[in-house]
Amino acid sequence: MRRRTFLSALPSGALAAGALSTGAANAQTGQPPAPGRPTEAAPAPARPDPYAEVGIGDRITGPKFVGRSTVWGANGAAATAHPTATLIGIDTLRRGGSAIDAAIAINAALGFLEPVANGIGGDAFCMLWDPKQRKVVGFNGSGNSPRGLSLEVARSKAIDGYLPRYGAVTVNVPGTVDAWWSAHQRYGKLPWKEVLLPVAELCEQGAPVPQVIAYYLERNMAAFDRGRIPIEENDNRKRVYAPGGETPKVGQMFANPFLGKTLRLIAEGGRDAFYEGPLAEQMEGYFRRIGGWLTRADLAAHRTEWVEPIRTDYRGVEVYGLGPNTQGLSTNQILNICEQFDLKGMGFQSAASLHVQAEAKRLAFEDRARYFADPRFSDIPVEWLNSKAYAAERARLIRPDRIMDRVMPGDAPHHGDTTYFSVADKDGLMVSWIQSNYRGMGSGLVPDDGRGNPLGFMFQDRGELFALTDGHPNVYAPGKRPFQTIIPGFTVKDGEPWMAFGVMGGGMQPQGQAQIVINMVDYGLDPQEAGDAPRWQHYGSSEPTGQPQEGAGVLHLESGVPEATKTQLRAMGWTLGPPDGGFGGYQNVMRQQNPDGLWTYGAATEMRKDGIALAY
């Protein structure tokens, strides 16, 4: 059986190019491939790291593991995975735009600057603090599967019983552009054109490629080329992302005038240009030509859904998440279980604390695999799964001295790769936004206009996350949304907005979100310290595709976790894995209420990515 734990949209690209090759040891579990499976050429042996024994430099204040300070400002802030995107966000705010205007500009820019993680061929989710309503609101910007693709045909495309990683069968309606439009209609200040046209110009002029993005771009493109999964069309993506036959290297200029032209059409025609106008016609023609299923009718029917976030209380902090079809409920469940334990008393980065957190994840993820799906097609017991009573019941299963041998989902009562960024403005609007093409760059398919000119973006492969098992809540159906990994985070403290934050990266997202909240609430870290702290990630839980758990799985730890902690975790029965690049990408904008009655923003970013945080 092929194991597919859903990693960060970015690290999965690297794994796909090397560790995900079917002949290599499994990158998540360290297990060899199943006997009799076809193999690919083994990757070249890794060269010794000449810096392996060198630690971080010493800062004069704060914890020694922290790489930089939280950035503070009074009027606005932005934290993204690319410096230019952050600058675009700040510039949009300074031109009089709202935080939503800035978020749209940032997201459009990241689709060009960080194509390994996101783009207008994917979906978007958001939670924000509405200062007029004084509440957290959210939207679900995920698209449906094509109406013309049946379960029988989807099953005929399966590999080892699951939908493939790439190709037309994985493509759903992209929700991002309509999410931009819907959010702008409610919260935008600048004219629509003024938000997008500067980004179109950037695409045409180009920008230097930073280190992490160059790394994943090369590996994603290599994975498309040498994978055993057939992709219906390959020339367009090569023309866009590997002009001249190679992906751009670190520091080299990269431009995408094709995407610039597409953004100009959207700037002129609004969301209808994408979902009903010339771009929709061109996308339909592309899939008709290559043998896909997405149509103009599928696109025209799409609408962003504004939703009421679910909430829980963690030691006096209100934590909000988006409900299924996302995994936002998993963050709440992990925190609800952890609240039953004295993590502060156990000690920061102690074996006892990490043991409880990882066991809480295992318990939450079995419920995730059992229940999470499109709520329009399945009854999901969200209130029960989110309850404190259920968390207390699950917490009693955690043993202090050893891991649980096997974890089962709760018995519900019968009654019933990714980019993340934060941005806030002077009026108090705070936006937590996440957007993704899912695995790496997406499906491998870049549409064109029918005359040989690519449209400059890749379609998502989110449809991979459907199950194919009869009776499963997440089983594929036409016009259905698959289970979604991408989730924004938001917290409220003492009735005021506190953090617009997130940790990108597949199944790492609820694990990472919970770690950020625990680091700040239980251990008193500030936003940058909470993100720079060493992280853990557990692989091997059951998945919403129908894949079963793999025993107790593997707990991967970053190298900064103390050696004494690792030794104690092994003694508890944990199988530990090395750092694998799958610990997510974090951004945070925090609002601080000051004694003088004024508030300021503290912005933090991810040292594991290329981005920066800025405030003014």
Side-chain angles (χ1 to χ4, degrees), residues 29 66 87 368 391 422 566:
T29 65
V66 179
L87 288 168
R368 167 183 177 263
S422 308
K566 296 175 184 177

Side-chain angles (χ1 to χ4, degrees), residues 254-487:
F254 170 71
N256 187 347
F258 308 110
L259 180 59
K261 182 178 180 181
T262 295
L263 289 177
R264 288 187 183 277
L265 289 172
I266 296 170
E268 293 294 332
R271 57 88 59 200
D272 289 350
F274 190 87
Y275 292 94
E276 300 181 38
L279 293 171
E281 293 179 4
Q282 292 164 9
M283 287 184 274
E284 180 181 62
Y286 174 76
F287 280 107
R288 187 186 305 118
R289 188 172 73 252
I290 69 169
W293 296 271
L294 193 69
T295 67
R296 182 179 178 183
D298 292 322
L299 292 160
H302 176 75
R303 292 295 183 276
T304 298
E305 180 185 6
W306 289 87
V307 297
E308 188 76 21
I310 57 176
R311 63 166 295 278
T312 193
D313 180 281
Y314 183 74
R315 309 195 202 279
V317 172
E318 296 176 61
V319 181
Y320 288 81
L322 297 181
N325 59 320
T326 82
Q327 60 179 339
L329 179 56
S330 295
T331 300
N332 290 22
Q333 287 190 278
I334 292 170
L335 291 171
N336 283 342
I337 294 170
C338 286
E339 192 178 35
Q340 311 297 316
F341 300 85
D342 180 14
L343 298 187
K344 182 178 181 180
M346 292 175 178
F348 178 61
Q349 293 287 316
S350 69
S353 178
L354 298 191
H355 170 71
V356 166
Q357 294 175 51
E359 291 286 58
K361 176 268 179 181
R362 292 179 64 202
L363 289 164
F365 269 46
E366 291 309 308
D367 289 335
R368 167 183 177 263
R370 169 66 179 84
Y371 296 111
F372 290 14
D374 188 340
R376 300 172 302 173
F377 287 73
S378 303
D379 291 327
I380 304 165
V382 172
E383 184 176 353
W384 171 71
L385 292 169
N386 193 45
S387 69
K388 297 292 187 180
Y390 179 60
E393 173 188 323
R394 300 291 272 173
R396 286 194 288 271
L397 299 174
I398 297 177
R399 296 176 288 191
D401 58 339
R402 60 171 297 179
I403 62 173
M404 295 176 285
D405 296 324
R406 183 172 174 81
V407 180
M408 301 298 290
D411 187 9
H414 294 297
H415 62 266
D417 268 302
T418 303
T419 197
Y420 174 83
F421 55 88
S422 308
V423 61
D425 64 29
K426 61 182 176 59
D427 297 319
L429 179 63
M430 296 177 65
V431 176
S432 177
W433 190 295
I434 195 161
Q435 202 262 302
S436 173
N437 284 4
Y438 180 52
R439 182 183 293 279
M441 294 180 69
S443 63
L445 298 173
V446 172
D448 58 52
D449 63 2
R451 299 183 297 275
N453 301 306
L455 300 186
F457 67 89
M458 186 176 292
F459 286 106
Q460 64 182 330
D461 51 358
R462 187 65 62 176
E464 178 195 351
L465 288 178
F466 278 116
L468 295 176
T469 306
D470 288 333
H472 194 288
N474 190 42
V475 66
Y476 177 84
K480 183 178 181 179
R481 297 178 303 198
F483 164 75
Q484 283 269 356
T485 56
I486 57 175
I487 50 172

Side-chain angles (χ1 to χ4, degrees), residues 13-14 34 130 185-186 194 242 245 249 346 412 419 436 481 499 505 548 554 590:
D130 184 326
Q185 293 295 103
R186 289 197 182 194
E194 291 185 21
K249 303 300 185 284
M346 292 175 178
T419 197
S436 173
R481 297 178 303 198
M499 294 192 295
V554 178
M590 181 191 78

